[in-house]
Amino acid sequence: MESTDLYNVRQCFFLGAYKSLVEQNLPDRSSEDYIPILFYRARAHIALGDTETATSIIPTETENLALKTVAVFANYISAPGSDAALEELRDLCVEIEGDDVEATEREKGWVRVVAGTAFARANEIEEALETLGADSTTENLEAVAIAVQIYLSIHRPDLARKEFERAKQWAEDDLLLQLIESSIGLVTGKDGYSDSQSFYTEQLANPSLSSPHLLTARGVTRLLRGEIQEAKSDLEEVTLAASVVAAGLGHKKTDAEELWSRLSSAYPEHPLVTAVNAKTVEFDDLAVRFKVPPLAIPTAA
């Protein structure tokens, strides 16, 4: 049974709450959770576009094949179309099939998930699905989730539904299984999108798991249900938060302040607002404790 820390990390990753994930501290290297949490944290950095940090936090001397695969994937994202990186991923997929390989079944599954993701991004669809174990007896729920997304992207919701139904026979009814079902429902319009909307709304109630991905998904769901004003609210919140970050990186401080005022006033529970407010309180607390040393006054020689 996995620890609470690893469970929370996986939930953050699956729901796209990458920023919350990368801000969490890594456990000690001697902890059983070190490799799994590092694996998801590095992937979260890649999802945020920060491949440099992703590779820097993976020990260069690591022999762990899952971490090696993430490092290669980061290199591939840094240089899209890199045949060398794809070949390295293929070699790793072959290596995990060896009889004397030092990797757990879970780590082998991680290698397939990351490699399959890279192959899909390279538009090697058949290779990606084969690597993920689609339409087989493989019991890897994360691989199923990616295979479902691939099928939906090529307009084959029937095959996506088939993968989901197969997974239901052996997978526990956890969040990732619900996310898969919601993704299929969003594409097919099953039950008037009500199940998808309920799922996204339930997850958004948890500030630590909230993310632009969830807001966008719920906004699209509401739009498809004809709830125009509600959809507009969700999508405006996403774009406003992005505008705040962009303006903060720019040179016009007044623009950033104006956008921040709008965001914090209209959406006080947005993850960005709650995170900044928490940091403000922490800063004020530390500032009170800080003792300013007396000014040094030079003396005449």
Side-chain angles (χ1 to χ4, degrees):
M1 185 173 180
E2 67 184 13
S3 68
T4 300
D5 288 341
L6 179 56
Y7 174 83
N8 291 333
V9 163
R10 291 175 66 249
Q11 304 302 75
C12 284
F13 184 82
F14 295 148
L15 293 176
Y18 304 123
K19 186 169 174 52
S20 295
L21 198 165
V22 300
E23 289 176 347
Q24 298 180 32
N25 294 325
L26 279 171
D28 187 83
R29 287 198 177 198
S30 61
S31 169
E32 291 183 358
D33 284 345
Y34 175 72
I35 295 295
I37 290 179
L38 178 57
F39 172 75
Y40 284 106
R41 183 170 177 174
R43 291 172 68 196
H45 277 294
I46 295 172
L48 290 169
D50 188 3
T51 54
E52 184 175 345
T53 299
T55 52
S56 69
I57 64 175
I58 296 175
T60 54
E61 73 281 2
T62 186
E63 292 298 323
N64 186 278
L65 295 182
L67 294 183
K68 282 185 175 182
T69 305
V70 175
V72 176
F73 181 53
N75 292 335
Y76 173 75
I77 297 299
S78 300
S82 171
D83 291 336
L86 291 177
E87 284 303 319
E88 283 189 70
L89 291 172
R90 292 184 180 106
D91 290 342
L92 286 164
C93 288
V94 171
E95 186 173 350
I96 61 173
E97 300 300 331
D99 294 333
D100 57 347
V101 63
E102 294 185 7
T104 65
E105 288 303 313
R106 180 172 65 172
E107 290 170 347
K108 292 177 183 178
W110 286 343
V111 171
R112 297 185 185 100
V113 163
V114 175
T117 302
F119 299 149
R121 291 179 68 107
N123 206 33
E124 299 290 347
I125 303 301
E126 290 187 11
E127 184 176 16
L129 292 171
E130 182 180 354
T131 301
L132 294 166
D135 195 25
S136 73
T137 58
T138 301
E139 297 185 2
N140 182 337
L141 194 55
E142 191 173 349
V144 171
I146 298 174
V148 164
Q149 292 298 323
I150 293 173
Y151 281 132
L152 293 177
S153 72
I154 60 175
H155 311 294
R156 290 304 306 269
D158 56 321
L159 296 180
R161 170 66 65 177
K162 182 179 178 182
E163 284 295 309
F164 170 68
E165 294 296 338
R166 180 178 66 82
K168 283 171 60 178
Q169 297 175 12
W170 49 262
E172 296 181 2
D173 185 21
D174 68 359
L175 180 140
L176 185 53
L177 195 64
Q178 296 173 46
L179 179 60
I180 294 170
E181 185 176 25
S182 296
S183 299
I184 297 172
L186 184 60
V187 172
T188 61
K190 184 177 182 292
D191 297 325
Y193 307 101
S194 59
D195 289 343
S196 298
Q197 181 177 359
S198 296
F199 172 78
Y200 298 131
T201 299
E202 180 182 353
Q203 304 312 316
L204 283 166
N206 186 342
S208 65
L209 295 177
S210 184
S211 70
H213 298 72
L214 283 175
L215 268 174
T216 301
R218 188 176 68 175
V220 171
T221 304
R222 285 174 160 176
L223 192 63
L224 292 169
R225 286 170 57 86
E227 301 171 0
I228 306 304
Q229 289 304 316
E230 293 83 353
K232 183 178 179 183
S233 175
D234 282 346
L235 298 175
E236 278 185 347
E237 184 174 346
V238 175
T239 55
L240 183 55
S243 297
V244 168
V245 175
L249 296 173
H251 300 292
K252 292 186 178 180
K253 184 179 179 181
T254 54
D255 289 351
E257 291 175 345
E258 179 185 350
L259 289 167
W260 173 254
S261 178
R262 286 173 53 195
L263 178 65
S264 57
S265 298
Y267 309 104
E269 298 303 318
H270 189 280
L272 181 60
V273 176
T274 56
V276 171
N277 288 340
K279 293 297 182 182
T280 301
V281 171
E282 184 180 350
F283 176 84
D284 291 342
D285 181 54
L286 292 173
V288 170
R289 302 182 198 177
F290 181 72
K291 302 296 183 183
V292 180
L295 184 66
I297 301 176
T299 56

